[in-house]
Amino acid sequence: MPWPLNIDPQQILLHWMNLAILVGGLYFLLYKPVKQFMAKREEHYRQLDQQAQDKLAQADRIHTEYKEKLEGAEEEIRQSRAKAQQSLQQSVQEQLDQAQAQAELIVSRAHADAERTREQALYDSQQDIRRLAETAAQRLALHEDPFDQFLDLAEGGAAHESK
């Protein structure tokens, strides 16, 4: 007995078998390799993303460490500046003290030199007064009367004025 509408069961079975072989072949030849390729690709990008996130975390950690080191360095710089200013002030004070000591030494030497100069001038003036006194005494000894000398000088001065 034939099947209605000219349907041959043997042909249907062969078509189903061809379809099964085609689907199986395509599954093993195309779908499975493409699926594996996509899984590998997805895993690769997942690893890249994970590596990028790890590197970002490491960069953040390094950034934090450097920030802390920078703050520590700023503190060290501040302390170094304070020490430098302190040593500078100490050096300036020492130089001022040395300058003050030198000034006092110069002033004391100047006072001593002035005292010696004053004493020398006093001694020289005393010597000059002695010489003048000796000269005056010698002149007085040569002239008999100082009153007569005065009169002679007075008359000579009057005579000079009248001329």
Side-chain angles (χ1 to χ4, degrees):
M1 146 167 219
W3 287 68
L5 298 176
N6 269 339
I7 294 178
D8 185 13
Q10 186 179 13
Q11 286 293 320
I12 292 176
L13 187 60
L14 284 176
H15 285 299
W16 275 105
M17 283 179 46
N18 281 336
L19 182 64
I21 291 172
L22 180 65
V23 168
L26 288 177
Y27 177 79
F28 287 113
L29 291 176
L30 292 177
Y31 183 75
K32 193 172 182 181
V34 169
K35 186 82 168 162
Q36 287 175 352
F37 174 76
M38 293 300 285
K40 286 180 184 177
R41 185 174 176 191
E42 187 177 325
E43 182 62 28
H44 175 72
Y45 284 117
R46 193 175 295 130
Q47 287 176 355
L48 286 179
D49 187 45
Q50 184 63 38
Q51 288 175 356
Q53 290 197 6
D54 290 345
K55 286 182 181 181
L56 279 175
Q58 184 180 7
D60 286 341
R61 195 170 47 250
I62 290 172
H63 180 262
T64 305
E65 289 174 11
Y66 282 130
K67 203 173 196 181
E68 290 172 1
K69 286 181 182 180
L70 183 62
E71 289 172 1
E74 288 175 355
E75 180 63 25
E76 287 179 24
I77 289 170
R78 189 188 61 75
Q79 289 175 356
S80 295
R81 279 186 185 162
K83 286 179 183 177
Q85 283 183 340
Q86 189 178 24
S87 65
L88 178 65
Q89 288 176 350
Q90 198 173 29
S91 174
V92 166
Q93 188 61 40
E94 289 173 3
Q95 288 179 355
L96 285 175
D97 292 343
Q98 288 176 354
Q100 184 68 29
Q102 287 177 350
E104 290 174 1
L105 180 65
I106 290 170
V107 167
S108 66
R109 285 182 183 170
H111 283 315
D113 287 345
E115 185 63 28
R116 278 194 299 272
T117 303
R118 186 186 70 75
E119 288 175 4
Q120 184 65 36
L122 185 60
Y123 178 75
D124 289 345
S125 65
Q126 287 174 350
Q127 292 298 324
D128 288 342
I129 290 173
R130 275 191 201 126
R131 273 190 246 118
L132 286 174
E134 286 174 5
T135 305
Q138 286 174 358
R139 283 189 185 168
L140 285 176
L142 292 177
H143 294 334
E144 296 171 7
D145 190 14
F147 185 69
D148 288 336
Q149 286 179 352
F150 174 73
L151 290 177
D152 289 338
L153 282 174
E155 289 175 5
H160 285 287
E161 287 180 16
S162 60
K163 289 182 183 180

PDB file of all heavy atoms in Angstrom, residues 70-82:
ATOM      1  N   LEU A  70      56.676  60.721  49.740  1.00  0.00           N
ATOM      2  CA  LEU A  70      56.790  62.139  49.438  1.00  0.00           C
ATOM      3  C   LEU A  70      56.482  62.977  50.677  1.00  0.00           C
ATOM      4  O   LEU A  70      57.175  63.950  50.969  1.00  0.00           O
ATOM      5  CB  LEU A  70      55.850  62.507  48.287  1.00  0.00           C
ATOM      6  CG  LEU A  70      55.899  63.950  47.795  1.00  0.00           C
ATOM      7  CD1 LEU A  70      57.285  64.264  47.247  1.00  0.00           C
ATOM      8  CD2 LEU A  70      54.862  64.163  46.705  1.00  0.00           C
ATOM      9  N   GLU A  71      55.442  62.590  51.408  1.00  0.00           N
ATOM     10  CA  GLU A  71      55.122  63.302  52.639  1.00  0.00           C
ATOM     11  C   GLU A  71      56.261  63.162  53.643  1.00  0.00           C
ATOM     12  O   GLU A  71      56.620  64.119  54.334  1.00  0.00           O
ATOM     13  CB  GLU A  71      53.807  62.779  53.220  1.00  0.00           C
ATOM     14  CG  GLU A  71      52.587  63.172  52.411  1.00  0.00           C
ATOM     15  CD  GLU A  71      51.309  62.495  52.883  1.00  0.00           C
ATOM     16  OE1 GLU A  71      51.374  61.715  53.863  1.00  0.00           O
ATOM     17  OE2 GLU A  71      50.260  62.738  52.282  1.00  0.00           O
ATOM     18  N   GLY A  72      56.851  61.959  53.708  1.00  0.00           N
ATOM     19  CA  GLY A  72      58.005  61.748  54.587  1.00  0.00           C
ATOM     20  C   GLY A  72      59.191  62.593  54.147  1.00  0.00           C
ATOM     21  O   GLY A  72      59.913  63.155  54.977  1.00  0.00           O
ATOM     22  N   ALA A  73      59.390  62.684  52.830  1.00  0.00           N
ATOM     23  CA  ALA A  73      60.494  63.492  52.305  1.00  0.00           C
ATOM     24  C   ALA A  73      60.258  64.968  52.611  1.00  0.00           C
ATOM     25  O   ALA A  73      61.192  65.694  52.957  1.00  0.00           O
ATOM     26  CB  ALA A  73      60.631  63.282  50.798  1.00  0.00           C
ATOM     27  N   GLU A  74      59.008  65.407  52.490  1.00  0.00           N
ATOM     28  CA  GLU A  74      58.701  66.803  52.821  1.00  0.00           C
ATOM     29  C   GLU A  74      58.990  67.079  54.291  1.00  0.00           C
ATOM     30  O   GLU A  74      59.519  68.134  54.638  1.00  0.00           O
ATOM     31  CB  GLU A  74      57.239  67.109  52.493  1.00  0.00           C
ATOM     32  CG  GLU A  74      56.954  67.205  51.000  1.00  0.00           C
ATOM     33  CD  GLU A  74      55.474  67.385  50.693  1.00  0.00           C
ATOM     34  OE1 GLU A  74      54.646  67.352  51.626  1.00  0.00           O
ATOM     35  OE2 GLU A  74      55.162  67.556  49.505  1.00  0.00           O
ATOM     36  N   GLU A  75      58.682  66.136  55.143  1.00  0.00           N
ATOM     37  CA  GLU A  75      58.968  66.293  56.573  1.00  0.00           C
ATOM     38  C   GLU A  75      60.482  66.339  56.797  1.00  0.00           C
ATOM     39  O   GLU A  75      60.973  67.161  57.575  1.00  0.00           O
ATOM     40  CB  GLU A  75      58.337  65.139  57.367  1.00  0.00           C
ATOM     41  CG  GLU A  75      58.570  65.214  58.850  1.00  0.00           C
ATOM     42  CD  GLU A  75      57.949  66.432  59.511  1.00  0.00           C
ATOM     43  OE1 GLU A  75      56.968  66.980  58.984  1.00  0.00           O
ATOM     44  OE2 GLU A  75      58.473  66.848  60.564  1.00  0.00           O
ATOM     45  N   GLU A  76      61.224  65.477  56.097  1.00  0.00           N
ATOM     46  CA  GLU A  76      62.682  65.484  56.219  1.00  0.00           C
ATOM     47  C   GLU A  76      63.258  66.801  55.716  1.00  0.00           C
ATOM     48  O   GLU A  76      64.177  67.354  56.323  1.00  0.00           O
ATOM     49  CB  GLU A  76      63.291  64.326  55.424  1.00  0.00           C
ATOM     50  CG  GLU A  76      63.075  62.974  56.048  1.00  0.00           C
ATOM     51  CD  GLU A  76      63.677  61.856  55.211  1.00  0.00           C
ATOM     52  OE1 GLU A  76      64.614  62.115  54.436  1.00  0.00           O
ATOM     53  OE2 GLU A  76      63.195  60.719  55.350  1.00  0.00           O
ATOM     54  N   ILE A  77      62.699  67.306  54.626  1.00  0.00           N
ATOM     55  CA  ILE A  77      63.160  68.583  54.086  1.00  0.00           C
ATOM     56  C   ILE A  77      62.884  69.702  55.095  1.00  0.00           C
ATOM     57  O   ILE A  77      63.730  70.567  55.327  1.00  0.00           O
ATOM     58  CB  ILE A  77      62.480  68.885  52.731  1.00  0.00           C
ATOM     59  CG1 ILE A  77      63.023  67.946  51.657  1.00  0.00           C
ATOM     60  CG2 ILE A  77      62.659  70.335  52.320  1.00  0.00           C
ATOM     61  CD1 ILE A  77      62.255  68.002  50.351  1.00  0.00           C
ATOM     62  N   ARG A  78      61.715  69.671  55.698  1.00  0.00           N
ATOM     63  CA  ARG A  78      61.384  70.691  56.694  1.00  0.00           C
ATOM     64  C   ARG A  78      62.352  70.620  57.868  1.00  0.00           C
ATOM     65  O   ARG A  78      62.850  71.642  58.344  1.00  0.00           O
ATOM     66  CB  ARG A  78      59.940  70.501  57.173  1.00  0.00           C
ATOM     67  CG  ARG A  78      59.435  71.658  58.043  1.00  0.00           C
ATOM     68  CD  ARG A  78      58.075  71.358  58.660  1.00  0.00           C
ATOM     69  NE  ARG A  78      58.069  70.206  59.523  1.00  0.00           N
ATOM     70  CZ  ARG A  78      58.585  70.168  60.754  1.00  0.00           C
ATOM     71  NH1 ARG A  78      59.176  71.231  61.258  1.00  0.00           N
ATOM     72  NH2 ARG A  78      58.529  69.072  61.478  1.00  0.00           N
ATOM     73  N   GLN A  79      62.641  69.407  58.333  1.00  0.00           N
ATOM     74  CA  GLN A  79      63.577  69.242  59.444  1.00  0.00           C
ATOM     75  C   GLN A  79      64.975  69.695  59.037  1.00  0.00           C
ATOM     76  O   GLN A  79      65.671  70.342  59.820  1.00  0.00           O
ATOM     77  CB  GLN A  79      63.593  67.787  59.910  1.00  0.00           C
ATOM     78  CG  GLN A  79      62.337  67.365  60.632  1.00  0.00           C
ATOM     79  CD  GLN A  79      62.331  65.885  60.980  1.00  0.00           C
ATOM     80  OE1 GLN A  79      63.225  65.147  60.618  1.00  0.00           O
ATOM     81  NE2 GLN A  79      61.301  65.451  61.693  1.00  0.00           N
ATOM     82  N   SER A  80      65.375  69.357  57.808  1.00  0.00           N
ATOM     83  CA  SER A  80      66.696  69.773  57.326  1.00  0.00           C
ATOM     84  C   SER A  80      66.783  71.297  57.252  1.00  0.00           C
ATOM     85  O   SER A  80      67.808  71.882  57.613  1.00  0.00           O
ATOM     86  CB  SER A  80      66.976  69.169  55.954  1.00  0.00           C
ATOM     87  OG  SER A  80      67.065  67.780  56.030  1.00  0.00           O
ATOM     88  N   ARG A  81      65.701  71.914  56.784  1.00  0.00           N
ATOM     89  CA  ARG A  81      65.690  73.386  56.732  1.00  0.00           C
ATOM     90  C   ARG A  81      65.799  73.975  58.129  1.00  0.00           C
ATOM     91  O   ARG A  81      66.517  74.958  58.342  1.00  0.00           O
ATOM     92  CB  ARG A  81      64.404  73.873  56.066  1.00  0.00           C
ATOM     93  CG  ARG A  81      64.422  73.826  54.579  1.00  0.00           C
ATOM     94  CD  ARG A  81      63.175  74.457  53.999  1.00  0.00           C
ATOM     95  NE  ARG A  81      63.149  74.306  52.554  1.00  0.00           N
ATOM     96  CZ  ARG A  81      62.084  74.433  51.827  1.00  0.00           C
ATOM     97  NH1 ARG A  81      60.928  74.725  52.394  1.00  0.00           N
ATOM     98  NH2 ARG A  81      62.128  74.273  50.520  1.00  0.00           N
ATOM     99  N   ALA A  82      65.074  73.389  59.060  1.00  0.00           N
ATOM    100  CA  ALA A  82      65.121  73.898  60.428  1.00  0.00           C
ATOM    101  C   ALA A  82      66.533  73.758  60.991  1.00  0.00           C
ATOM    102  O   ALA A  82      67.060  74.685  61.619  1.00  0.00           O
ATOM    103  CB  ALA A  82      64.117  73.143  61.302  1.00  0.00           C
TER     104      ALA A  82
END
